[in-house]
Amino acid sequence: MAAFLLASALLAPGCASLPDAFSRTPGIEDLGREIRPEAPPEYDVLVARQHQTEGRPVAAVAAYRRALAKDAVSGYLHLALAEALARTQRLDEALAHAQLALEMEPERREARALVAQLHRIRGEPEAAASVLLDAEGAPQDVEAAFQLYHLYLETARAESAVEVARWMLRQEPEDTRVHVTLASALERAGRPLEAEAVIEAALLVEPDSLRLRTLLARSKRHRGDREGEILVYEETLSQFPDSYETLESLADAQIAEEDYEGAIWTLTRIEERFPLDLSSTLRLAFLFFDAKRYDEAVDRFSQALAEKPDEYEIVSYYANALARSERNDEALAVFQQIPASYEHYADVRIQMAALYENAGDYAQALREIDEVLVFRPDRRLQLYAATLRVKLGDFDGAVDFLQGLLADRPEDDEILYGLGVIHSENGQP
């Protein structure tokens, strides 16, 4: 339920000023003193507020009723009671008192806003709108216009929301918040180019607004104008060179455009300005890896792992980057840190086998593959195991291994081809 704000002033027309005796909220722990028929209504208002502060809304309603019984023509008291009733979900009664408050004081904005809000909550949008519009069909004031704006958006009347927002902009052309309101309505109405024009107009009013530039870039991104989005970021950075959000968004846009070198430059800039930002360091690591700049990838993965040593996806990439930098011994040492519980553990062992093979340690490579085959049978791995047996000089073992596979799949082309290769290498054409 929407929050209802009490009037900022304690007193309103129809209520006398508070006596000095009630200039502070009284303690009401002694319930015998809470109800005081001889006290002025201001006393009951203070009691009601005490109950509200301490989370007793029903007791607050009772106190406001006692105050109203002493001053039935106070629009302020009807409004206060209406707000208290609304907090207890007694919406019909709340609306009745709010309407009385508005009838007594037609210029009281809080009363009008509450009546409209109660109609909205009750699912009566037309009744809410009628309260907020004047006789000519224009909003009563800017506050009423904001309520109308949200009412129209809630009821899927985006074009009406646009018109209300344009009315607000005519009243307050220098308020960039109103520009943003109009742009939002235009977006909802499916008119993004007009929305961007409104934001650009707001930037003429407030050229130093990072918020407006961010909204403009976001609009261009949503309609797929990546080049325009990137241009906005670049213009923004010329004015706000240390805007982390802008730099990060620019990197995202550059990656989306497959401008990886541009993204690397942007993320490096973030790294320089925000050295504690681990996420940018990690993104740089992956970009360097994809760009085959493995030494730089190794450096960034190492930095990331200093903070997250148990992120085994990062550990795996780190080991791969080491291997591709031809630092095989280091790569093997890193791979060995990955536990069997890691979801891609089989792939880790296969990569280790390839490193052992490259180092000429065919026996250890075969042990790695045989271990993987125990829990993940795979034809290509089986053929790889046969190849490693051949490299060990065990032609007969390789043939027997493949013949055993062929018994289950006698017409398997890959196994037959592998057998042919082994016979050829063994001088048996």
Side-chain angles (χ1 to χ4, degrees), residues 6 10 24-31 34 42-57 59-61 63-64 66:
L6 288 172
L10 176 63
R24 62 179 177 82
T25 303
I28 57 172
E29 291 77 8
D30 179 6
L31 295 182
E34 177 177 342
E42 292 83 2
Y43 176 83
D44 299 293
V45 170
L46 290 175
V47 170
R49 289 190 169 188
Q50 178 84 3
H51 282 307
Q52 287 174 325
T53 300
E54 296 175 0
R56 294 189 292 269
V61 166
Y64 280 126
R66 292 195 296 272

Side-chain angles (χ1 to χ4, degrees), residues 96-107:
H97 283 282
Q99 286 173 327
L100 281 172
L102 186 58
E103 290 170 10
M104 292 175 180
E105 301 178 34
E107 299 305 314

Side-chain angles (χ1 to χ4, degrees), residues 306-326:
E307 297 293 329
K308 296 184 175 183
D310 297 331
E311 292 283 343
Y312 295 115
E313 185 76 14
I314 301 174
V315 175
S316 179
Y317 268 97
Y318 177 41
N320 267 291
L322 286 166
R324 297 185 190 201
S325 297
E326 299 183 357

Side-chain angles (χ1 to χ4, degrees), residues 264-285:
I264 286 172
W265 181 88
T266 302
L267 289 168
T268 302
R269 191 168 168 181
I270 295 176
E271 191 178 51
E272 291 169 353
R273 285 166 166 73
F274 306 95
L276 299 180
D277 178 41
L278 183 62
S279 64
S280 293
T281 298
L282 192 54
R283 294 178 77 190
L284 263 177

Side-chain angles (χ1 to χ4, degrees), residues 332-366:
L332 282 168
V334 172
F335 274 131
Q336 287 166 352
Q337 297 172 17
I338 299 176
S341 58
Y342 175 53
E343 60 179 327
H344 300 300
Y345 181 69
D347 295 321
V348 169
R349 309 311 293 190
I350 293 167
Q351 291 164 336
M352 291 177 65
L355 289 174
Y356 284 123
E357 181 187 4
N358 290 338
D361 189 349
Y362 304 125
Q364 185 59 41
L366 181 59

Side-chain angles (χ1 to χ4, degrees), residues 226-247:
R226 283 291 186 182
E227 290 184 7
E229 178 192 2
I230 289 172
L231 181 60
V232 172
Y233 292 140
E234 290 172 345
E235 291 173 349
T236 302
L237 289 170
S238 67
Q239 193 168 357
F240 303 96
D242 294 328
S243 169
Y244 176 84
E245 181 182 355
T246 304
L247 286 165

